[in-house]
Amino acid sequence: MALTKRVIVCLDVRDGMVTKGVQFKANKDIGDPLFFAKMYETQNVDELVFYDITASVENRSLMYKTMERVAQSISIPFSVGGGIRSVEDMERALESGAEKVSVNSQAVQNPELIEYCAVKFGCQCVVLGVDTKRDAMCPSGYRVFTNGGRVASNKDLLDWVVEAEQRGVGEIVLNSIDADGTKQGYDCELLKHVVASVSVPVVASGGAGKPEHIVEAFIKGGVHAALVASMVHFREYTITQIKEAMQKSGIPVRPISE
């Protein structure tokens, strides 16, 4: 039997509220994380991911109290990211109820962080969040960005994901800054390149606007999971509708809620 493909909802959190912008700009607060978490659980979402989008740029830790409140109220898997600077930060995130923890900016600046966390908690707990943007100066055509897409690094995308896998990440969430929040579809060319370069699961992020975009990410991009935000936050589509479209295209999914 083919492995089921996952649909993941991303909750960008700022000052304790879910927020959403376009290409990492003009963010607007749209509600309480716990409200959204419960709503998506009833729609049978496979996973949730919480990103504290200003933790790195503000040089502070994650909002652990918010995470604990959510963990106590839902039963589906969730991961967290933002401001993870040490093994201790990751340990606290896992103790707060997260199943996986995403490292991004700090991993770019200190790649050994991946190894330390993978050794202590297992590769399956360590997710690499990658924010990338097209850049003709990079060999792969894409550059890695940090601090919530604000700062360009000196890392080429493909070089970085290969290095990160070697250091022990168990999953890669690949976010296209160019497509983020536009609802015009994922960058399937980008997805395909990364999927072909690593052996760990790759999650598509940035650009979903309708169920067909998710289907394209699986069929054309070859990803293992798709992350969505705007299209479900603003009630344009439900997780059920997305999974129905996947089923119609022959993509295996977990049972759809009634």
Side-chain angles (χ1 to χ4, degrees), residues 149-170:
R150 297 173 179 84
V151 180
S153 78
N154 63 356
K155 290 188 180 293
D156 174 80
L157 172 64
L158 293 187
D159 288 344
W160 175 227
V161 296
V162 169
E163 177 186 351
E165 180 182 21
Q166 292 171 345
R167 290 183 180 273
V169 298

Side-chain angles (χ1 to χ4, degrees), residues 1-257:
M1 181 182 292
L3 291 176
T4 58
K5 302 296 185 179
R6 292 171 288 149
V7 178
I8 305 170
V9 169
C10 175
L11 299 173
D12 287 337
V13 180
R14 177 181 65 179
D15 298 328
M17 296 289 285
V18 176
T19 184
K20 196 70 192 80
V22 177
Q23 296 177 330
F24 289 25
K25 300 174 182 177
N27 281 71
K28 295 181 180 179
D29 293 343
I30 57 176
D32 179 5
L34 184 56
F35 168 81
F36 282 99
K38 287 182 174 180
M39 177 178 70
Y40 294 127
E41 182 175 36
T42 63
Q43 293 180 18
N44 208 33
V45 72
D46 296 302
E47 294 178 28
L48 293 173
V49 57
F50 295 77
Y51 286 132
D52 189 334
I53 64 171
T54 57
S56 291
V57 71
E58 293 175 0
N59 194 31
R60 61 169 172 77
S61 298
L62 277 164
M63 295 179 180
Y64 296 107
K65 289 185 179 179
T66 299
M67 292 162 44
E68 290 170 355
R69 188 163 62 101
V70 171
Q72 293 166 3
S73 303
I74 63 173
S75 59
I76 55 176
F78 76 92
S79 59
V80 298
I84 301 297
R85 299 186 294 273
S86 65
V87 173
E88 291 73 23
D89 286 339
M90 184 169 181
E91 184 171 34
R92 187 173 177 188
L94 292 171
E95 289 175 346
S96 297
E99 183 177 83
K100 296 181 285 188
V101 179
S102 177
V103 292
N104 190 324
S105 299
Q106 293 299 320
V108 172
Q109 296 163 18
N110 177 26
E112 290 81 10
L113 176 63
I114 296 171
E115 295 175 45
Y116 300 150
C117 291
V119 168
K120 182 160 186 178
F121 306 110
C123 297
Q124 77 284 352
C125 291
V126 186
V127 178
L128 180 71
V130 184
D131 296 316
T132 190
K133 193 173 184 179
R134 288 181 182 269
D135 188 334
M137 298 298 291
C138 290
S140 69
Y142 294 88
R143 183 179 299 277
V144 175
F145 279 68
T146 64
N147 294 88
R150 297 173 179 84
V151 180
S153 78
N154 63 356
K155 290 188 180 293
D156 174 80
L157 172 64
L158 293 187
D159 288 344
W160 175 227
V161 296
V162 169
E163 177 186 351
E165 180 182 21
Q166 292 171 345
R167 290 183 180 273
V169 298
E171 184 171 79
I172 295 170
V173 176
L174 183 61
N175 187 57
S176 167
I177 297 174
D178 299 300
D180 182 79
T182 64
K183 297 193 287 188
Q184 297 301 304
Y186 299 100
D187 185 337
C188 289
E189 179 184 357
L190 164 66
L191 300 174
K192 185 167 59 176
H193 285 326
V194 172
V195 169
S197 300
V198 298
S199 59
V200 296
V202 175
V203 181
S205 175
K210 55 185 179 180
E212 290 79 4
H213 292 154
I214 287 87
V215 171
E216 288 176 358
F218 288 117
I219 294 177
K220 296 182 180 180
V223 296
H224 302 76
L227 187 148
V228 299
S230 298
M231 64 183 288
V232 291
H233 291 344
F234 299 114
R235 318 293 200 275
E236 294 167 357
Y237 296 95
T238 64
I239 301 301
T240 300
Q241 289 174 310
I242 292 170
K243 287 192 171 184
E244 286 174 345
M246 291 168 61
Q247 279 189 326
K248 289 178 181 177
S249 297
I251 301 168
V253 299
R254 282 200 314 123
I256 298 172
S257 58

